[in-house]
Amino acid sequence: MPTILLIEDDTALRNGLAFDLSAEGYHILSAENGKTAITLLEQPIDLVLLDINLPDTHGFQLCCEIKTQKNIPVVFLTCRDLESDELRGFDCGADDYVTKPFSMPLLRKRIAAVLKRNGTNNVYSDGFLKIDFEKHTAYVGEKGISFTPTEYKLLQIFILNSGSVLTRRILLEKLWDNENNFVDEHTLTVNINRIRSKIEADNRKYIKTVYGIGYIWNGEKP
């Protein structure tokens, strides 16, 4: 579940965007000004959606500040449609520039494209465990480890839903593919146990069992 920091001083627009993007599966953090936005940067964030005209700072300046603090993508969402403004936005390090009024379906596509370019859904790394889902490579520390295709798929499901309890039924449904290859409950248990044996230790637990319900990923967000 990628996290988006939404920086917009228009309350109605901010609430509307937060509602729509939440419905798409994003976790939304909202800020109405630059001061609040900077404090929220302490949390794990995958993308910033940024207005230019803010009450306490300039969006261009804030973009530069964000980029110096964290290597995360920034998408401007603004009514300023001059070419000079758009060029200035990209000069500040913006990854995309969207002008108001805008199409919500198109905005969702552009957000997804920026996240994909930045590898948000393809690479997980927490300083100890690193998994590249596109290249199918994985490391625990500096030691390379191997996963089966089912284990990679299961890991990606867990990581993309970090912090959320996933029932066994949900996991089985998500593992079912378009070619009707499926995993039964016993195989699911075996795969989870194999993953645990490869990435966990006494002082490092990633997959927590929620007894009678399912499982939850306790690692960091991708």
Side-chain angles (χ1 to χ4, degrees):
M1 184 190 297
T3 297
I4 295 176
L5 172 56
L6 172 59
I7 310 170
E8 169 63 60
D9 65 331
D10 184 316
T11 302
L13 178 58
R14 186 175 66 251
N15 291 342
L17 284 167
F19 179 83
D20 188 278
L21 293 173
S22 294
E24 286 294 306
Y26 297 107
H27 177 227
I28 305 299
L29 300 174
S30 296
E32 63 181 9
N33 54 52
K35 182 179 180 180
T36 302
I38 291 299
T39 62
L40 291 173
L41 284 178
E42 298 174 0
Q43 302 187 42
I45 294 169
D46 299 298
L47 180 141
V48 174
L49 198 57
L50 173 61
D51 189 13
I52 292 176
N53 299 319
L54 296 170
D56 62 343
T57 189
H58 207 283
F60 296 130
Q61 179 182 344
L62 184 56
C63 179
C64 293
E65 190 169 352
I66 290 170
K67 288 290 187 175
T68 60
Q69 291 195 31
K70 285 194 170 185
N71 183 27
I72 52 177
V74 174
V75 175
F76 277 111
L77 185 61
T78 175
C79 61
R80 298 179 62 158
D81 58 0
L82 294 178
E83 181 179 307
S84 58
D85 287 323
E86 187 169 352
L87 290 171
R88 185 178 177 187
F90 285 113
D91 286 341
C92 291
D95 295 79
D96 204 348
Y97 193 102
V98 180
T99 57
K100 305 172 184 175
F102 55 89
S103 160
M104 197 63 215
L106 183 57
L107 176 63
R108 290 195 294 264
K109 289 289 186 182
R110 295 179 82 157
I111 288 172
V114 170
L115 288 172
K116 185 175 182 179
R117 286 201 304 271
N118 284 270
T120 300
N121 293 330
N122 292 329
V123 177
Y124 172 87
S125 179
D126 60 16
F128 186 81
L129 172 64
K130 182 175 182 179
I131 307 171
D132 189 319
F133 290 101
E134 185 173 347
K135 297 179 180 178
H136 276 205
T137 58
Y139 293 86
V140 171
E142 296 184 357
K143 179 184 177 182
I145 54 176
S146 61
F147 293 113
T148 66
T150 298
E151 289 169 352
Y152 269 115
K153 190 171 183 179
L154 188 55
L155 276 163
Q156 193 164 33
I157 292 168
F158 274 126
I159 291 168
L160 291 177
N161 293 276
S162 178
S164 300
V165 177
L166 297 173
T167 66
R168 294 178 67 84
R169 178 178 177 181
I170 288 174
L171 289 170
L172 291 169
E173 288 176 352
K174 288 181 177 291
L175 287 170
W176 192 297
D177 65 24
N178 293 331
E179 297 178 357
N180 288 333
N181 296 318
F182 67 94
V183 173
D184 59 26
E185 289 217 18
H186 172 71
T187 306
L188 175 63
T189 301
V190 170
N191 276 274
I192 290 175
N193 288 339
R194 284 178 179 170
I195 291 171
R196 281 172 162 163
S197 69
K198 295 175 182 179
I199 66 175
E200 294 189 341
D202 290 340
N203 62 344
R204 188 181 66 256
K205 302 295 183 182
Y206 285 100
I207 302 173
K208 177 183 178 182
T209 300
V210 182
Y211 291 99
I213 302 177
Y215 304 91
I216 187 169
W217 178 264
N218 277 339
E220 295 180 7
K221 290 179 179 291

